[in-house]
Amino acid sequence: MTDGTDSLDGIARAVALHLRRQRLAYDTRYLRVRSAPTPATPPQVRPAPTTAQSRSARPKPAPSKSVDAKAALRSQAESWSAATKLEYLRKKNVGDCRRCGLCQTRQNIVFGVGNPEARIMFVGEAPGADEDRKGEPFVGKAGQLLDRWLVELGMSRADVYIANVLKCRPPGNRDPRPDEVERCSPFLRAQIRAIRPAAVVALGRHAGMLLSRRDDMSLRAMRGARLDYDASSPKEAPRSLLIPLVVTYHPAYVLRQSGEAEVGATQMVMADLRRALDLAAEA
Ligand code: SF4
C-alpha cells in the first residue's frame, strides 16, 4: 500500500517529462530556424555582350589635342595672306632652325626678302659670306648686279621675291650636301607655295638642278629646256602644283667673266629673264 507520496511523485515526474519534451521540441524548431544558413545569393551573371555590342561599348580614344590644333591651324592658314604665311613660316617653322649641321657655322639664317605677292621669284643656291653676315639674300656685288638686271627689266627688288635653297651658309661656300638640301628644301617649297609666283628663276646650275631635280643636265641644257618646279606638298599627288622654271647664270658667274664673255653672259641672262616674264604673263 502507498501513502499517496508515490503517486504524487509520479505525477510530478510525468509533468516534468512533458515540459522537457515541449521545450526540446520548441528549441529544436526554433534553433533550426535561427541557425539555418542563409541561402547564398547567386552571383549575378550578365549576358555576354555580342561582338557588335562589345565594339561599341569600347571607349573610343579621345582625339589628340595637338592633332586638332594643327588641323585647325591648317584650315585657318588657308585664308591668310602670303605675307602672313611667310611671317609665320619664318618665325614658327624656321625659327632658330637646327635641322642640319650648317646651324653650327652660320651667323644668320637667310630666310628671303621681297614682295610676298611677286609674280617672279628668284632662287639661288645658298647664302655667301655677305648674306650670312647681313641675314639677307643677294647682297654684296652679286646682289648689286641682280638689282641692275631688274632695273633693266623695269623692275626693282620690291617687285620680286628672292630666296635660296639653303637658308644657312655652307662653310667656305662649298656645294650643299644632299642631306642639307633634303632638310632645308621644305622651307623653300613652303615659301613658293605661300607666294605662288607665276614663274621661278633659278640662278646658277646648282639651284637649277635642285629645283628641277635634274642632276644630269648642264646649265646650257637647262637654259634651253622647258622645266617646272614641282611645288606639290607631300600630302598631294606629285606634280599637282607645277610652276614654270627658268634656269640662268648666277650673277657671281657673270661677275667672273670679262670682256666679250661678260657681255655674252649678260645677254643670255637678260634673254632668260625676259622669257621668265613672258611665262609669268601667260600664267
Ligand atoms: S640650312 Fe636650313 S635646315 Fe640647315 S640649319 Fe639652316 S635653316 Fe635649318
Side-chain angles (χ1 to χ4, degrees):
M1 175 166 180
T2 65
D3 58 1
T5 308
D6 288 344
S7 65
L8 284 174
D9 286 347
I11 290 168
R13 276 200 298 275
V15 168
L17 182 62
H18 174 71
L19 289 174
R20 268 206 309 277
R21 280 180 182 155
Q22 275 194 327
R23 177 64 184 265
L24 181 63
Y26 171 81
D27 281 354
T28 304
R29 191 166 62 247
Y30 177 73
L31 290 177
R32 188 180 295 142
V33 171
R34 289 286 305 273
S35 64
T38 310
T41 308
Q44 293 198 344
V45 179
R46 290 189 188 142
T50 61
T51 311
Q53 281 172 331
S54 58
R55 262 195 222 117
S56 65
R58 220 175 277 155
K60 289 182 182 148
S64 148
K65 281 186 185 164
S66 64
V67 171
D68 279 354
K70 276 184 189 169
L73 181 64
R74 257 200 303 275
S75 83
Q76 196 186 345
E78 280 169 19
S79 61
W80 290 354
S81 68
T84 306
K85 287 178 185 172
L86 287 174
E87 195 54 14
Y88 186 91
L89 179 68
R90 189 178 69 78
K91 283 188 177 164
K92 300 284 183 181
N93 295 105
V94 178
D96 182 33
C97 179
R98 307 209 155 259
R99 289 174 178 78
C100 82
L102 295 181
C103 68
Q104 291 166 3
T105 49
R106 74 178 177 222
Q107 288 186 48
N108 286 296
I109 291 179
V110 182
F111 179 72
V113 70
N115 185 350
E117 310 284 343
R119 301 278 293 161
I120 304 274
M121 181 167 172
F122 289 86
V123 178
E125 175 186 314
D130 292 329
E131 288 79 19
D132 184 38
R133 197 164 46 249
K134 293 192 177 174
E136 188 176 327
F138 285 87
V139 291
K141 287 186 177 172
Q144 288 162 14
L145 180 56
L146 177 60
D147 288 345
R148 290 202 292 276
W149 292 345
L150 292 174
V151 169
E152 201 162 323
L153 293 168
M155 297 192 291
S156 73
R157 250 174 208 250
D159 298 313
V160 300
Y161 196 90
I162 306 171
N164 285 303
V165 176
L166 292 190
K167 309 301 180 205
C168 302
R169 182 193 180 208
N173 293 346
R174 65 161 168 75
D175 290 346
R177 293 179 180 147
D179 66 303
E180 294 161 353
V181 172
E182 190 186 329
R183 289 182 192 191
C184 203
S185 55
F187 295 144
L188 175 67
R189 185 173 57 229
Q191 284 174 300
I192 293 176
R193 287 176 65 86
I195 297 166
R196 300 271 176 142
V200 172
V201 177
L203 296 168
R205 181 168 180 253
H206 284 292
M209 287 191 308
L210 295 172
L211 293 182
S212 65
R213 300 188 182 176
R214 298 291 302 267
D215 56 4
D216 55 344
M217 293 174 84
S218 65
L219 192 140
R220 185 187 298 251
M222 281 192 279
R223 279 190 65 236
R226 285 184 70 95
L227 299 170
D228 294 300
Y229 173 69
D230 184 358
S232 320
S233 79
K235 290 183 180 169
E236 295 172 333
R239 302 184 64 76
S240 58
L241 178 56
L242 294 178
I243 297 177
L245 172 67
V246 171
V247 183
T248 193
Y249 292 105
H250 194 286
Y253 168 81
V254 179
L255 284 174
R256 288 197 297 272
Q257 312 304 308
S258 59
E260 282 188 14
E262 183 185 357
V263 172
T266 302
Q267 286 174 344
M268 286 188 275
V269 169
M270 294 314 297
D272 294 335
L273 297 187
R274 288 196 177 93
R275 187 160 68 89
L277 287 180
D278 290 345
L279 287 170
E282 289 168 14

